[in-house]
Amino acid sequence: MDHSADAQRTDLMTITRFVLNEQSKHPESRGDFTILLSHIVLGCKFVCSAVNKAGLAKLIGLAGETNVQGEEQKKLDVLSNDVFIKALVSSGRTCILVSEEDEEATFVEPSKRGKYIVVFDPLDGSSNIDCGVSIGTIFGIYLVKEDREPTIEDVLQPGKNMLAAGYCMYGSSCTLVLSTGTGVNGFTLDPSLGEFILTHPDIKVPKKGKIYSVNEGNAKNWDGPTTKYVENCKFPKDGSSPKSLRYVGSMVADVHRTFLYGGIFLYPADKKSPNGKLRVLYEVFPMSFLMEQAGGQAFTGKQRALDLVPTKLHERSPIFLGSYEDVEEIKALYAVDNGLE
């Protein structure tokens, strides 16, 4: 047995150690945020295990209900939602929870209440469960205004007010990507230890990428700027090489690839979905927060995504996010279209 190798394995930057290190930079911190994150991490581990066993445990298949978005719910969606609601409430650090699966927000009872609001999609891309494609959990954390009863208005804040955001991708490995507002770090679950280990420190999205990611099946319903942008990706006018198309159809997988390889992910508005398809609070905001922290941009077709002020819980928005220069190009096309140039 190689004892020196085993000793080396204990000197790893786990997510717990990482978050505690961050906490020590804030002497006034009481550890509430750290406790909340540890409960989110536990939820991710549980869902990762359930996703891996889905076929064996006969968890696949429809649960027989549709969620508030009109999507048929899978058993794993229901399970994941229950897991995160219970993990977040039991942390004693949350006051309002907003889930993609629930029409109304969950208000935590006063005895278990804390100062944080968590918005989350417990299992994004769940229609891909049956074919083994990567799926994931997306979350964002806000601070409630102090010293009063929390209301729904506390949730309807612009994304720039978020304290932290992240996602956990359940794929060939289980990867958790997190930002607490000082850069983006990626952790991979080591199944033998049951710990998330820092594997992607300080993720920076390349300034420009060679990939575009969009559902081209919706092309006939796109507006002018999106159509022109995708045309330029395929048939560049400046003599550069065309971009490659990569589209999984699972936001977590597509955005994760964009972080690592660069390029642009777009889910534009179209004639069928004039407000886009992706939900503002728990898809657009967390991913936009992470993308800006990694040096990229996120744009709605009208404004910076994080400046958007939602008016309802399950509001939708178009989104263009990715490498800084790639998003600049689509912004320029919208500026021309809106007569701003």
Side-chain angles (χ1 to χ4, degrees):
M1 193 172 174
D2 188 346
H3 291 293
S4 60
D6 277 354
Q8 185 64 36
R9 288 183 74 208
T10 59
D11 188 32
L12 296 167
M13 181 58 80
T14 65
I15 195 163
T16 311
R17 183 175 163 194
F18 180 86
V19 171
L20 286 169
N21 282 358
E22 289 296 304
Q23 183 190 318
S24 68
K25 295 174 190 172
H26 304 276
E28 74 289 355
S29 168
R30 297 213 315 269
D32 287 344
F33 188 66
T34 306
I35 290 166
L36 173 60
L37 275 175
S38 72
H39 280 251
I40 291 173
V41 167
L42 180 63
C44 291
K45 287 179 188 173
F46 193 100
V47 173
C48 177
S49 169
V51 167
N52 287 340
K53 289 189 296 211
L56 297 171
K58 298 225 181 304
L59 287 167
I60 287 180
L62 301 180
E65 300 167 15
T66 56
N67 69 6
V68 294
Q69 313 301 331
E71 298 165 336
E72 289 185 312
Q73 265 186 312
K74 303 268 178 151
K75 288 182 181 172
L76 272 174
D77 294 39
V78 183
L79 176 73
S80 307
N81 194 41
D82 290 348
V83 164
F84 278 102
I85 297 276
K86 288 191 173 87
L88 292 166
V89 170
S90 68
S91 72
R93 302 299 183 275
T94 59
C95 54
I96 311 175
L97 310 176
V98 176
S99 166
E100 193 236 16
E101 299 294 338
D102 297 327
E103 181 121 32
E104 304 294 332
T106 300
F107 286 85
V108 179
E109 61 182 90
S111 65
K112 294 180 178 169
R113 197 174 281 170
K115 59 185 178 180
Y116 296 106
I117 295 164
V118 183
V119 293
F120 62 99
D121 185 344
L123 206 60
D124 182 73
S126 56
S127 61
N128 286 315
I129 292 168
D130 296 3
C131 63
V133 165
S134 295
I135 52 181
T137 300
I138 309 172
F139 63 89
I141 302 171
Y142 287 110
L143 193 59
V144 76
K145 315 271 193 300
E146 289 282 0
D147 299 332
R148 61 178 176 76
E149 195 68 17
T151 68
I152 216 70
E153 297 308 312
D154 289 309
V155 180
L156 302 174
Q157 302 185 50
K160 63 186 177 190
N161 292 359
M162 271 187 176
L163 287 186
Y167 61 83
C168 187
M169 186 174 74
Y170 315 112
S172 52
S173 58
C174 182
T175 310
L176 196 149
V177 174
L178 175 70
S179 174
T180 54
T182 51
V184 181
N185 291 280
F187 303 82
T188 304
L189 185 64
D190 180 337
S192 65
L193 295 172
E195 288 279 7
F196 280 102
I197 309 297
L198 181 64
T199 49
H200 296 74
D202 198 21
I203 296 170
K204 291 282 179 238
V205 64
K207 278 272 176 262
K208 192 171 175 65
K210 296 176 181 163
I211 294 170
Y212 73 105
S213 186
V214 65
N215 182 353
E216 290 216 46
N218 294 330
K220 77 180 175 81
N221 294 316
W222 287 344
D223 63 14
T226 298
T227 304
K228 193 175 273 186
Y229 181 79
V230 172
E231 187 74 8
N232 289 346
C233 288
K234 296 195 271 196
F235 304 100
K237 309 274 192 300
D238 59 3
S240 60
S241 298
K243 288 192 188 316
S244 295
L245 169 66
R246 297 283 182 273
Y247 189 69
V248 177
S250 174
M251 188 192 192
V252 172
D254 282 314
V255 173
H256 186 68
R257 183 199 53 247
T258 306
F259 275 117
L260 299 184
Y261 301 162
I264 187 166
F265 169 83
L266 35 157
Y267 209 118
D270 60 33
K271 294 191 189 87
K272 272 195 315 189
S273 310
N275 297 318
K277 277 286 282 290
L278 298 177
R279 272 70 56 142
V280 172
L281 274 175
Y282 41 78
E283 290 175 327
V284 170
F285 278 170
M287 291 307 199
S288 299
F289 183 92
L290 289 163
M291 191 55 76
E292 285 198 6
Q293 286 291 323
Q297 290 195 81
F299 177 63
T300 67
K302 291 187 177 136
Q303 64 188 123
R304 175 190 176 211
L306 292 180
D307 287 340
L308 202 60
V309 182
T311 55
K312 52 184 196 286
L313 290 184
H314 300 289
E315 190 169 314
R316 299 170 190 260
S317 168
I319 186 67
F320 306 85
L321 55 79
S323 295
Y324 194 92
E325 289 177 22
D326 291 324
V327 178
E328 276 298 302
E329 282 178 41
I330 193 107
K331 282 167 76 174
L333 289 168
Y334 271 98
V336 170
D337 194 61
N338 296 331
L340 299 177
E341 284 191 354

